[in-house]
Amino acid sequence: MKKINNERFVGLSASVLAILCGLLFGFILLLVTNPSQAVNGFLMIVQGGFTDGMKGIGDVLYYATPIIMTGLSVGFAFKTGLFNIGASGQFAAGAFAAVFVGIKWTFLPAGIHVIVCLIAAILAGALWGIVPGLLKAYFNVSEVISGIMMNYIGMSLVNLLIRTSIYDQLKNQSLPVAETAVLSKMGLNKVFDGANINAGIIIAVICVILVYIILEKTTFGFELKACGLNTNASKYAGINEKRNIVLSIVIAGALAGLGGALLYLAGSGKFLQVLDVVAPEGFAGISVALLGSSNPIGILFAGLFIGYITVGGYNMQLYGFVSEAIDIIIAAIVYCGALSLLFKTLIYKFQMKKRNKNNKKEEA
Amino acid sequence: MSYVIEMNHITKQFGSFKANDDVTLQLEKGEIHALLGENGAGKSTLMSVLFGLYQPEQGEIKMNGKPVKINNPNDANELGIGMVHQHFKLVHNFTVLESIVLGRETTKIGILKMDEARKKVMELSKRYKFKIDPDAYISDITVGMQQRVEILKMLYCDNEILIFDEPTAVLIPQEISELMKVMKQLVAEGKSIIFITHKLNEIKEVANRCSVLRKGKYIGTVNVADISKEEMSEMMVGRKVNLVVNKKEATQGEPVLEVKNLTVKGKTAGKDAVKDVSFTVHKGEILCVAGIDGNGQSELIYGITGLMPIEKGQVILNGKDITKESIRQKCLDGLAHIPEDRHKDGLVLDYTLQNNLVLQTYYSDRFQKNGFLKFDEIREFAKGLIEKFDIRCGQGEDSVTRGMSGGNQQKAIIARELDRNPEIVIAVQPVRGLDVGAIEYIHKQLIAQRDAGKAVLLVSLELDEVMNLSDRIVVMYEGEIVADVNPQEITREELGLYMAGAKRGVKNEEN
């Protein structure tokens, strides 16, 4: 047991080290672009969501919700040995399905309507995931290639469908969804003092717990992880590895799709834009999954952290920094996160040295 | 007596693990010096140090009495040290000649000049009676020939110190005796050879002296002429070993596994790796599939177990046709498989031992309820197997399998497979890479299965294992069964001829 705890400790401290290195890099960046305001700007980032009291914290939770979902999507697939770079397309598909149902199916009673929207998003995301899944399982097509393709198909198709069905020509975006399709605030906006927070974060946390239980406690998770760690041995043991590949990426797609719904049904004044941009939340999900070492609980905290410094980034604009600066800093942190293996080895080495020293002391 | 190479008090550490602990090896000019030790004793590490692949923490290397520093394989080559690796390092779509000169090409203003090289290679080939075709492609020649290419490569570079790393593992008896002749000729010409092996017969035959390693420690150096095989094996293992497997007379029963006209496609297109193979394994017998590596044995087993699709044929287990069944169903029907590659197929290395022990049974009612794993039950089950099969590992059932020794990993697989009480055990090279103690144990387990009236299908490349364990032998050559013989009625040499394809017995077994 001790060894397992040590592994967790090393994993956690590697993530913390990655974050510190990324922040340091960010500070240097701020120093270079605007030396006089660098310290103030940096303090804003570090203060992050705490700057505005409860409202700030509420906003952190709001920003974190969709990227926790895409992070879960990427992390879940990763446990099965798949790199779900298609989370963006699944996210967009889910977002569109939710908004479409939210606008068009007003015949549904309140309470049911929003749930149908969420289910539509889950199905759309899953559908977007099943294509790379089937290609991977039965034709050994890399899920990275087909995932990227599905991202572009998703982006263009969503743009097309918005224009033909739910288009607000004046604003070049989707129409607002019906009141009955908006996620309940559940009084959270009162607790958090007018922030955009809503039931989405609760759904995200429930998903985190569900994914954790699936992966750690069930036979299904046992199979998925076995396939991810060693496909050959799984096949040898009689596990249907093809079925697991498809299921894994379908579930990942459903998670990302649900994430899309949670963002666009938040009632925060966010609309589907007709832009030729692949949904950035999907890529943010990759960062979150990396930073959280694909562990559901880790992903929860990584998502919260990224939400936290994103809010800090907005506040930083007060000091004349462009909001892209915060994107670069997040990228730097993720970059360092990707190097976490290096940090892990460093920490192991450090521990080893310490142990050797202790041993020598004991000998002497 | 001066030494051409002295490795004095070498210590090489990986983390806290000492792969070599104060090891000394002194090679005289013109001798064949055997380096004996079990797998994991540190032989390869020591040679990697000599070859410049690793830097030792302590100790020095001297050449002709002068200290030398070997930082990389190029340094070693310049000092005239050459090595034939256990797994040949050849480029498959190169010709023999190209492979030999690779890295030492003679050129004129950047253009290859092969004529001189060809002359030198042919001279060498003639001198050692290698009968090599310089224009044949590596992928087309036999393993024995490939080894000759490797030897020529060393000679082409005028190496004086030659390292042979387990050179006989891939050869048939006839090829082995020819290799021994070549080695003797080489030392007669003044070259010096380090011969790495764990086969005592071969040491007895060619080596002058022998250094023994055990668990990274230097045990001693002996004159081969003064010591018996039993004493050598005792030095190697650290206790008395029973070199002969004891087993009762076989009592052959009804057929358990029938393979009929099985054909399996190979990895390269157009070639069948297994061609129309039929045989039967009966209750209470160990049927051994002998043959040189790469003659379709792996594909045969993959075909039977369902890991590879088959072209045609039938697999029948206890009268039931299981050809088209899923791997899981085959497993439930009583087919156990100890795979050839335990890391690739047998274990999820990053899973804990207990998870690996339930890899095929986690879904049974014993270990799950409504899709949720019963962790306590799994733990109890694993503890039981660990004790029953004497699997040794640091953290018991929580050990990560990757960190366990090869022998204990193999024991874990065997525990898992045999505990299911299978009808037939298919074991593919079950003792590959294991130490003598583990080999003894695994052989005993297989014989116990046989004595309990179960069937065992054993695929082995080692003639010793084939001769000692089997009750019946079929030999595979180029995807076909070329012999079906009784081990008591055949000599090793005759078996070697079958394995080399020089002789054919029955084509198909008579039922």
Side-chain angles (χ1 to χ4, degrees), chain B residues 15 40 65 67 154 167 196 213 236 263 293 302 309 355 366 392 408 412-413 422 427 432:
Chain B
M154 290 196 300
I196 304 173
L213 300 185
M236 170 165 84
T263 299
D293 198 7
Y302 278 155
N355 282 351
R366 183 171 172 197
R392 288 178 209 165
N408 282 306
I413 294 177
R432 179 158 78 170

Side-chain angles (χ1 to χ4, degrees), chain A residues 1-299:
Chain A
M1 283 314 282
K2 207 178 162 194
K3 192 176 170 218
I4 293 168
N5 283 340
N6 186 41
E7 247 164 46
R8 270 198 200 142
F9 166 76
V10 172
L12 191 67
S13 37
S15 290
V16 171
L17 261 181
I19 289 169
L20 289 179
C21 283
L23 286 175
L24 186 71
F25 176 84
F27 182 58
I28 294 168
L29 182 86
L30 297 186
L31 268 180
V32 172
T33 48
N34 188 351
S36 60
Q37 297 293 339
V39 175
N40 287 329
F42 188 71
L43 282 179
M44 274 292 149
I45 298 176
V46 178
Q47 276 182 13
F50 289 129
T51 316
D52 290 337
M54 287 307 268
K55 178 179 185 304
I57 297 171
D59 278 336
V60 168
L61 296 176
Y62 165 72
Y63 285 119
T65 305
I67 55 175
I68 288 173
M69 294 307 295
T70 50
L72 274 181
S73 168
V74 176
F76 185 79
F78 196 71
K79 283 275 183 194
T80 325
L82 298 167
F83 184 33
N84 184 24
I85 203 169
S88 293
Q90 296 147 10
F91 182 88
F96 174 79
V99 171
F100 182 86
V101 173
I103 294 168
K104 295 280 183 182
W105 293 13
T106 43
F107 54 85
L108 290 167
I112 306 285
H113 192 185
V114 66
I115 292 170
V116 175
C117 288
L118 295 180
I119 292 171
I122 289 172
L123 292 177
L127 182 71
W128 232 244
I130 205 169
V131 179
L134 289 174
L135 285 174
K136 168 81 180 181
Y138 293 97
F139 302 100
N140 203 22
V141 175
S142 162
E143 76 281 8
V144 174
I145 308 288
S146 52
I148 293 173
M149 291 305 151
M150 290 304 282
N151 282 346
Y152 284 100
I153 297 172
M155 175 192 81
S156 304
L157 192 66
V158 165
N159 284 348
L160 178 88
L161 289 174
I162 292 172
R163 277 180 206 270
T164 52
S165 60
I166 49 170
Y167 194 40
D168 181 344
Q169 273 190 323
L170 285 176
K171 296 177 184 158
N172 190 29
Q173 65 186 25
S174 61
L175 294 163
V177 296
E179 279 295 313
T180 47
V182 175
L183 286 164
S184 163
K185 302 263 182 206
M186 298 182 80
L188 287 168
N189 56 334
K190 296 210 176 80
V191 180
F192 290 102
D193 207 9
N196 284 318
I197 185 170
N198 55 57
I201 183 69
I202 294 169
I203 296 175
V205 171
I206 292 172
C207 287
V208 167
I209 296 168
L210 277 180
V211 167
Y212 177 81
I213 291 174
I214 289 176
L215 281 177
E216 299 301 326
K217 305 286 178 201
T218 66
T219 50
F220 179 51
F222 185 89
E223 289 183 8
L224 286 179
K225 283 188 291 178
C227 286
L229 293 168
N230 187 343
T231 327
N232 290 314
S234 307
K235 192 176 170 191
Y236 156 87
I239 296 170
N240 186 340
E241 87 284 9
K242 289 188 170 34
R243 175 178 147 261
N244 277 318
I245 286 173
V246 177
L247 270 180
S248 157
I249 207 154
V250 163
I251 292 174
L255 289 166
L258 182 58
L262 296 185
L263 178 61
Y264 287 98
L265 298 180
S268 59
K270 204 164 164 56
F271 297 92
L272 281 171
Q273 309 280 336
V274 181
L275 288 173
D276 281 340
V277 177
V278 173
E281 287 83 357
F283 297 115
I286 297 173
S287 323
V288 171
L290 271 175
L291 207 56
S293 335
S294 297
N295 175 313
I297 313 295
I299 286 168

Side-chain angles (χ1 to χ4, degrees), chain B residues 422-471:
Chain B
E423 295 297 317
I424 177 154
V425 180
I426 298 179
V428 188
Q429 297 186 54
V431 299
R432 179 158 78 170
L434 302 186
D435 59 53
V436 175
I439 290 173
E440 244 184 318
Y441 178 86
I442 285 163
H443 283 170
K444 266 188 200 149
Q445 292 290 337
L446 290 179
I447 290 170
Q449 284 289 310
R450 179 197 82 149
D451 291 345
K454 308 286 179 188
V456 178
L457 177 63
L458 173 72
V459 176
S460 175
L461 304 177
E462 301 255 355
L463 266 186
D464 287 330
E465 195 179 25
V466 174
M467 296 302 272
N468 280 337
L469 275 185
S470 60
D471 300 313

